[in-house]
Amino acid sequence: MLPRISDMRAPAPLHAELAAELRARGFEGDLAPSFGDRIVSATDNSIYQLLPQLVAFPRSVDDLVRIVRATADDRFKDIVFAPRGGGTGTNGQSLTEGLVVDVSRHLNGIIEINPAERWARVQAGVVKDQLNAALADHGLFFPPELSTSNRATIGGMISTDASGQGSCLYGKTRDHVLELTTVLLDGTVWTSRPLDDEELQEIQRRPDLVGAVHRLVDAIQREQADQIAAHFPKLNRCLTGYDLAHIRDDRGRFNLNSILCGSEGTLALVAEAKLNVEPIPKHSALVNVRYGSFDAALRDAQELIRFGAASIETVDSRVLGLAQKDVVWDQVRQYFPEDDGQRATGVNLVEFVGDSELDVEIPVRRMTEALGAADPSRGRRGFTVAHGEAEVNAIWTMRKKSVGLLGNMQGDKRPIPFVEDTAVPPENLAGYIAEFRALLDAHGLVYGMFGHVDAGVLHVRPAIDMKDPTQEPLIREITEEVVRLTSKYGGLLWGEHGKGVRSEFSPRFFGPLYPVLQSIKAAFDPRNRLNPGKIAAPAGGQLLAIDGLTTRGQLDRTIPASLRSAYDEALHCNGNGACFSWDPNEAMCPSYKATRDRRHSPKGRASLIREWLRQLAALGIDPVSEAAALRKASRWRDFPARLRNSWAREADFSHAVKEAMDGCLACKSCSGQCPIKVDVPTFRAKFLEVYHGRYLRPLRDHLVGSLESMLPALGKVSGLYNVLIDSPPGRALMRAIGLVHSPKFSDLSIQAELAARGIAIATLKTLEALSIEERARSVVLVQDAFTSFYELHVVLAVLDLMRAIRFRPFVAPFRANGKPLHVHGFLSAFTRTASRNAAMLRDLAATGVELVGVDASMTLTYRSEYGMLAEADRPPPVLLVQEWLARHHNAIPKASSAGDEYLLLPHCSERSLALSTLRDWQTAFAAAGASLQVLPSGCCGMAGTYGHEAEHRATSEYIYGMSWGPHVNRWAQSGHLLATGYSCRSQVKIMDQRALAHPAQALLACLSRC
């Protein structure tokens, strides 16, 4: 039995007092002092981990003012604080051991869009893609492009002066900030914008902090102009943070925003911004050039620049190789073919955009003709061209996933960020990278490279095992060498992702101008309390050091290697935050989208599990051994102790972990769409197994876990069951257990329907009696509990479809699949159930007859959850319906009603674990003379039993309303909206009283008109 974990470090008394003071002052947002909340805010995408004492989620600008004014009280003079947006920083910018001010949860409103004047006003927590989705209706977009655009907040972009792909055309974030509303440390809410000299002089006469900083920054610009010109490199990615070189804009106006943009929360709290927005280019094309070496790709970039592209990006062979193992590759593979059996070892992605086809086609033609006529000695192997928004965006999606893909390298050594955004003049890039690579090779390191060659920025992530204390010093050694290299080639250590912990190198890069930066910091923040140690420290203050903070690796190394391996699905989360995606039409992660609570995200849950494992290790407890002991013991042996523990409900960190796990829908989106492949349902099941070795399970868990095994017996009295379950007493009983909207049995009899069709139950004897030719034209339908008992008409449609294309279907005997057991952590029962089921399936498959499942989620369990079985006990391939149809598409007759158009909403698990199979549906429909469009969609909110659980029903409905609801309301009345998932169709019926067809039913309807 697990012990109680009591080490949940409470906030420091001073921070607890601050929380009380903020409430007394009317703070309207959320204050999170719990250990779980603080653990989740202790990391970003960097190598560091700093536990804050308190997390504040302000709800308004007034709340920001309350924070500033409360902390100005002498009682709280020792409290430091840092703002946080998307939490995707690579250098610890938002990490602090004090107060975190997180604007992402509530300050995320788009205040105003002015299409005529092409600007938008937003709160700091608005996500870039959220803004662009709102702008798209007006034909506009906010251009600084980021790989993290689906979770990066505008406040965070401003704080790091973010830029990315296309910066040579569109510039950096600060180039688009028209006005910036910040809260200064004296509590003043100030909106800064470009000022002419008369306006500047008027502001300088103010006696407050606003007047003081304007006087100081203006004096610096006038008095230090020569020094600034001498020390600031002439780069597209000019120095971020306190950008002295651009205090005056190209019209001679004074602009304080050049100091504030990129200041990483060290000067003021960003509240709102008025942003310049641009027209969306109407046409685009992407030329994808392949090379025999990465060096050839880098050197050729200078030649490609002359064609006037909007952007040129490069990717090395390591990133390409990892992309080929990801779901993203299926959408782009045709653009990166092999050359004489060899993969490209480097590619350049060259984008052209314009408002007319000619604007794009003329430079593309000029470039492709030049490429075709060029000397092959340049190392080029070939090229492809992608046209149109959908195809171009698919390739950019692959490029955007580069960071995450690198993190998915196998083994303990994982690519990490610490020297990953250096910038040099583009003409120096090839030589610089050659020396950079030689440096890494000399250390025997594996690494991946990708980036913006047109801007001279390349992202380099060496693979280092930070859990190994002998490798940790490489952070210092390599960084020092890279600092020397960037200086040699006229560049910068930080070209794109800000300084953060790397600020210790500020004095070296700024030289005699560093005291100027110190004076700016002192003017805004004389007590050095706002994100201290970053960019600049006032005289006497200390900058942070790259090897002076706690790292995640240092904490993870306290977990035994065997335990890290057992919970591998959580331990490699690198904090890239892809699970924080704003997009409601992306499947990952529904619980985070609904709650905006980072505990309820894959990253949050992984962080909590890591801490749980660390604390268990400190107590000398191995949860793997505990699980093994539980599986051998009688379930009643520890019942009195579990009853006592459950009744006492003492403080236990395991409860905080359990709360986060309870919010998981087990939709499997993370296991496929997380670039690191963090698999919450798998480690959640492991956690629940041992958690309930100490605490009793609710009755509902036992009922749901045994549901599959009970259904055959209940099906014999299905009529009575349906009456009872739909009666007021029946509904009340189920709600008392914690279940709502319980499904009813089909009113058809599977035995009668199979008999009427002459379909036999598949047995080894029956299948072996078939000839080889008969087996080739036979197929076994593998039943699942939910379609066989609740949606038999769907099962019959699949069988009839098989018959319609001249195959002889058989039906496998019903066996429990075990997925509900796995979801709820009954892993011992799951193993037994899965082993029995797999044995039967192996016998059937041994005859050579193909096996096909009906429900996508249940069928994919054979490929996912069944992976925990010993290899000899695993099942044979069980095809999804669409995979089987695509294999035999030539057998599908073309319907007379050719041209029918259908729309598909797939199950989350298909998008995550079998994305390529969605094209199989399209192949099958095309063979029948119809077309099928797969709609972009998120989760329906049902996810097995989640939407039936009373405490989750409201969240389930909210999730449905984000993505599925709008689709259903728009398309369901056409009769051509389809859904593959049983749980999804159930949710639609509950929410909108509409019955969506399974794709097999639609295909069968088409063929009936042949």
Side-chain angles (χ1 to χ4, degrees):
M1 179 181 291
L2 291 181
R4 182 170 66 88
I5 300 175
S6 58
D7 181 11
M8 293 181 289
R9 281 153 284 172
L14 191 61
H15 289 79
E17 288 181 33
L18 175 62
E21 178 66 20
L22 286 170
R23 285 290 181 220
R25 290 172 180 256
F27 188 83
E28 298 172 335
D30 306 327
L31 294 171
S34 78
F35 188 47
D37 283 296
R38 290 153 52 217
I39 282 288
V40 169
S41 295
T43 58
D44 56 3
N45 191 208
S46 72
I47 62 176
Y48 303 104
Q49 180 163 334
L50 299 181
L51 182 67
Q53 295 299 308
L54 180 66
V55 185
F57 300 93
R59 199 175 288 274
S60 63
V61 177
D62 287 343
D63 273 351
L64 293 175
V65 173
R66 290 180 181 110
I67 290 171
V68 166
R69 289 185 172 163
T71 53
D73 189 307
D74 281 343
R75 284 182 298 160
F76 307 118
K77 60 182 173 57
D78 294 327
I79 287 181
V80 299
F81 51 104
R84 186 180 180 104
T88 59
T90 57
N91 300 291
Q93 287 96 325
S94 64
L95 302 186
T96 178
E97 293 178 320
L99 167 68
V100 170
V101 183
D102 191 328
V103 299
S104 66
R105 183 178 294 180
H106 299 304
L107 285 173
N108 51 32
I110 298 171
I111 301 167
E112 183 180 2
I113 294 175
N114 188 319
E117 298 180 14
R118 294 206 324 227
W119 56 261
R121 189 182 301 279
V122 302
Q123 292 181 311
V126 166
V127 171
K128 173 181 155 59
D129 280 0
Q130 173 192 358
L131 173 59
N132 279 341
L135 290 169
D137 290 340
H138 306 288
L140 300 169
F141 79 117
F142 180 55
E145 189 52 74
L146 313 176
S147 64
T148 56
S149 62
N150 64 1
R151 65 264 198 200
T153 63
I154 299 301
M157 291 178 67
I158 291 169
S159 292
T160 54
D161 196 10
S163 60
Q165 172 220 333
S167 65
C168 290
L169 176 63
Y170 292 112
K172 305 171 71 178
T173 298
R174 67 169 172 78
D175 296 312
H176 298 274
V177 175
L178 303 176
E179 296 179 0
L180 187 60
T181 299
T182 56
V183 178
L184 305 181
L185 288 192
D186 66 348
T188 301
V189 178
W190 179 249
T191 298
S192 48
R193 58 179 176 79
L195 304 170
D196 60 31
D197 287 341
E198 184 177 345
E199 292 172 310
L200 174 60
Q201 289 168 10
E202 181 179 350
I203 292 171
Q204 287 176 334
R205 287 193 287 269
R206 291 175 58 132
D208 57 3
L209 180 56
V210 171
V213 297
H214 281 78
R215 290 192 296 272
L216 172 67
V217 174
D218 181 40
I220 289 170
Q221 189 275 325
R222 286 184 285 102
E223 297 167 8
Q224 303 286 342
D226 292 342
Q227 286 268 38
I228 292 168
H231 281 85
F232 273 59
K234 306 299 187 288
L235 293 170
N236 166 269
R237 302 299 174 83
C238 54
L239 217 56
T240 59
Y242 305 9
D243 188 358
L244 307 180
H246 294 87
I247 294 172
R248 294 275 176 168
D249 65 17
D250 54 8
R251 293 167 55 183
R253 297 176 301 176
F254 175 93
N255 193 351
L256 188 65
N257 292 337
S258 292
I259 300 297
L260 293 170
C261 291
S263 62
E264 301 182 16
T266 62
L267 303 180
L269 298 178
V270 176
E272 296 175 4
K274 179 181 178 182
L275 306 170
N276 167 68
V277 296
E278 299 283 346
I280 299 172
K282 295 181 175 63
H283 299 273
S284 62
L286 196 60
V287 183
N288 312 290
V289 190
R290 305 184 301 281
Y291 298 87
S293 74
F294 189 54
D295 181 70
L298 293 177
R299 295 187 184 280
D300 197 36
Q302 294 308 300
E303 174 69 15
L304 302 181
I305 285 174
R306 69 183 179 88
F307 293 104
S311 66
I312 305 177
E313 299 282 298
T314 193
V315 178
D316 77 354
S317 59
R318 189 166 303 279
V319 175
L320 285 172
L322 290 165
Q324 290 171 2
K325 301 173 185 177
D326 190 81
V327 294
V328 73
W329 189 252
D330 188 64
Q331 298 175 319
V332 302
R333 66 171 68 244
Q334 67 268 33
Y335 294 108
F336 304 98
E338 293 184 351
D339 299 286
D340 297 325
Q342 293 185 318
R343 295 177 179 174
T345 54
V347 297
N348 280 326
L349 311 175
V350 188
E351 184 177 31
F352 296 89
V353 299
D355 289 330
S356 71
E357 280 195 52
L358 281 178
D359 289 342
V360 173
E361 288 306 316
I362 289 175
V364 167
R365 190 180 309 119
R366 187 161 58 91
M367 179 179 173
T368 53
E369 288 174 355
L371 290 174
D375 182 348
S377 65
R378 286 186 176 274
R380 297 175 185 147
R381 285 184 173 172
F383 64 89
T384 59
V385 183
H387 292 277
E389 180 181 9
E391 299 301 308
V392 169
N393 284 347
I395 296 172
W396 283 136
T397 296
M398 183 271 288
R399 159 62 185 87
K400 280 186 172 186
K401 293 186 76 171
S402 296
V403 171
L405 290 169
L406 279 173
N408 196 35
M409 281 177 55
Q410 297 305 298
D412 285 326
K413 291 183 178 181
R414 298 287 175 119
I416 55 175
F418 62 100
V419 287
E420 53 111 34
D421 62 328
T422 57
V424 299
E427 61 272 18
N428 296 346
L429 184 61
Y432 165 70
I433 290 299
E435 287 202 50
F436 200 155
R437 295 180 76 178
L439 163 66
L440 298 177
D441 291 342
H443 284 283
L445 295 175
V446 174
Y447 49 88
M449 294 186 171
F450 57 94
H452 324 293
V453 286
D454 52 347
V457 175
L458 210 62
H459 301 304
V460 183
R461 292 198 170 194
I464 297 174
D465 181 7
M466 291 293 288
K467 299 184 299 298
D468 181 353
T470 66
Q471 296 183 48
E472 190 176 317
L474 288 171
I475 300 298
R476 169 65 64 183
E477 295 171 27
I478 292 171
T479 302
E480 292 285 358
E481 283 295 312
V482 172
V483 168
R484 181 188 62 79
L485 273 180
T486 53
S487 178
K488 173 182 176 179
Y489 283 92
L492 296 166
L493 178 62
W494 39 67
E496 186 170 286
H497 296 161
K499 299 179 182 64
V501 176
R502 301 179 298 178
S503 296
E504 70 165 280
F505 299 102
S506 288
R508 292 195 214 178
F509 277 93
F510 285 100
L513 286 174
Y514 180 66
V516 175
L517 270 63
Q518 288 182 294
S519 69
I520 292 174
K521 171 66 172 176
F524 278 90
D525 180 17
R527 293 184 178 181
N528 195 25
R529 300 167 62 224
L530 193 48
N531 220 359
K534 297 165 188 173
I535 300 186
Q542 294 294 314
L543 292 170
L544 297 176
I546 57 173
D547 49 8
L549 300 178
T550 302
T551 67
R552 283 183 290 161
Q554 289 168 350
L555 295 172
D556 286 350
R557 77 176 61 139
T558 65
I559 304 170
S562 60
L563 194 48
R564 296 199 300 264
S565 177
Y567 282 81
D568 185 70
E569 309 87 5
L571 265 291
H572 289 298
C573 175
N574 66 2
N576 73 81
C579 50
F580 298 154
S581 171
W582 162 85
D583 189 351
N585 286 322
E586 285 184 10
M588 184 175 69
C589 164
S591 57
Y592 171 70
K593 287 182 172 71
T595 63
R596 304 289 291 218
D597 185 335
R598 298 196 192 277
R599 292 176 303 157
H600 294 290
S601 70
K603 179 188 172 183
R605 294 178 178 114
S607 297
L608 291 168
I609 279 287
R610 289 162 89 155
E611 177 63 17
W612 180 73
L613 292 172
R614 190 189 70 77
Q615 295 217 29
L616 286 177
L619 294 170
I621 301 298
D622 179 356
V624 177
S625 299
E626 290 291 325
L630 284 171
R631 294 177 192 182
K632 294 177 182 177
S634 163
R635 72 168 63 179
W636 298 107
R637 187 192 68 180
D638 293 325
F639 178 80
R642 287 186 291 135
L643 178 62
R644 184 171 57 253
N645 295 336
S646 302
W647 182 264
R649 193 66 183 181
E650 295 176 296
D652 184 347
F653 181 59
S654 293
H655 295 324
V657 181
K658 170 69 158 47
E659 182 183 355
M661 298 303 163
D662 282 347
C664 173
L665 282 75
C667 66
K668 302 291 287 189
S669 292
C670 52
S671 59
Q673 296 189 359
C674 169
I676 312 299
K677 304 299 180 282
V678 167
D679 184 353
V680 177
T682 295
F683 68 73
R684 173 183 184 259
K686 294 176 182 179
F687 168 80
L688 290 175
E689 180 179 34
V690 292
Y691 176 86
H692 287 298
R694 179 176 178 82
Y695 299 103
L696 293 177
R697 289 180 177 275
L699 174 61
R700 181 182 66 195
D701 284 11
H702 294 283
L703 182 64
V704 171
S706 59
L707 179 64
E708 287 184 292
S709 59
M710 292 192 302
L711 284 176
L714 290 174
K716 294 177 180 178
V717 290
S718 59
L720 177 62
Y721 176 89
N722 288 345
V723 170
L724 292 175
I725 206 71
D726 201 32
S727 67
R731 289 195 298 269
L733 175 62
M734 297 307 288
R735 179 170 283 279
I737 295 172
L739 293 171
V740 295
H741 297 294
S742 298
K744 294 191 288 186
F745 280 91
S746 294
D747 54 7
L748 300 172
S749 163
I750 188 169
Q751 292 83 4
E753 294 295 333
L754 294 182
R757 290 166 171 79
I759 297 174
I761 297 296
T763 64
L764 183 60
K765 182 177 180 181
T766 304
L767 298 182
E768 286 180 336
L770 301 174
S771 68
I772 298 298
E773 293 76 14
E774 287 174 324
R775 294 182 196 185
R777 299 297 299 176
S778 298
V779 59
V780 173
L781 184 144
V782 179
Q783 297 188 70
D784 66 82
F786 302 103
T787 57
S788 285
F789 289 95
Y790 299 136
E791 278 194 336
L792 184 57
H793 59 284
V794 172
V795 176
L796 297 175
V798 173
L799 292 169
D800 290 343
L801 180 60
M802 292 169 169
R803 297 167 68 212
I805 62 175
R806 304 293 186 265
F807 274 77
R808 181 183 177 185
F810 293 82
V811 175
F814 175 76
R815 294 285 187 276
N817 170 291
K819 185 176 178 69
L821 290 167
H822 189 279
V823 166
H824 291 278
F826 292 99
L827 295 187
S828 179
F830 170 77
T831 301
R832 294 192 300 271
T833 299
S835 296
R836 287 194 298 267
N837 190 27
M840 179 196 72
L841 296 176
R842 286 196 304 273
D843 286 344
L844 298 179
T847 65
V849 179
E850 292 172 314
L851 309 181
V852 178
V854 179
D855 183 70
S857 176
M858 298 293 280
T859 303
L860 289 170
T861 301
Y862 298 123
R863 307 178 194 183
S864 181
E865 286 87 345
Y866 274 49
M868 71 176 286
L869 299 179
E871 190 167 348
D873 294 334
R874 291 175 188 170
V878 180
L879 301 176
L880 295 165
V881 174
Q882 64 265 35
E883 291 175 306
W884 183 81
L885 288 170
R887 282 190 182 185
H888 304 289
H889 68 276
N890 290 330
I892 301 175
K894 191 172 289 289
S896 59
S897 57
D900 281 359
E901 298 178 354
Y902 291 89
L903 302 166
L904 178 65
L905 290 170
H907 194 281
C908 290
S909 57
E910 283 174 296
R911 286 195 187 277
S912 301
L913 303 177
L915 182 63
S916 63
T917 69
L918 299 183
R919 283 220 298 265
D920 291 337
W921 277 124
Q922 293 172 318
T923 298
F925 273 77
S931 66
L932 179 73
Q933 177 188 350
V934 180
L935 294 175
S937 59
C939 179
C940 74
M942 182 60 79
T945 60
Y946 179 89
H948 290 292
E949 293 166 359
E951 72 274 21
H952 293 140
R953 186 61 208 169
T955 305
S956 170
E957 293 182 1
Y958 184 88
I959 293 169
Y960 177 83
M962 287 192 293
S963 177
W964 275 64
H967 284 313
V968 171
N969 289 333
R970 181 177 181 183
W971 300 110
Q973 61 187 9
S974 70
H976 282 197
L977 182 63
L978 313 174
T980 54
Y982 160 75
S983 60
C984 307
R985 294 189 296 275
S986 299
Q987 180 80 314
V988 172
K989 190 173 182 180
I990 293 168
M991 293 297 297
D992 285 311
Q993 295 76 52
R994 293 185 180 276
L996 298 191
H998 186 280
Q1001 293 174 285
L1003 267 178
L1004 185 63
C1006 286
L1007 298 186
S1008 69
R1009 298 193 289 271
C1010 287

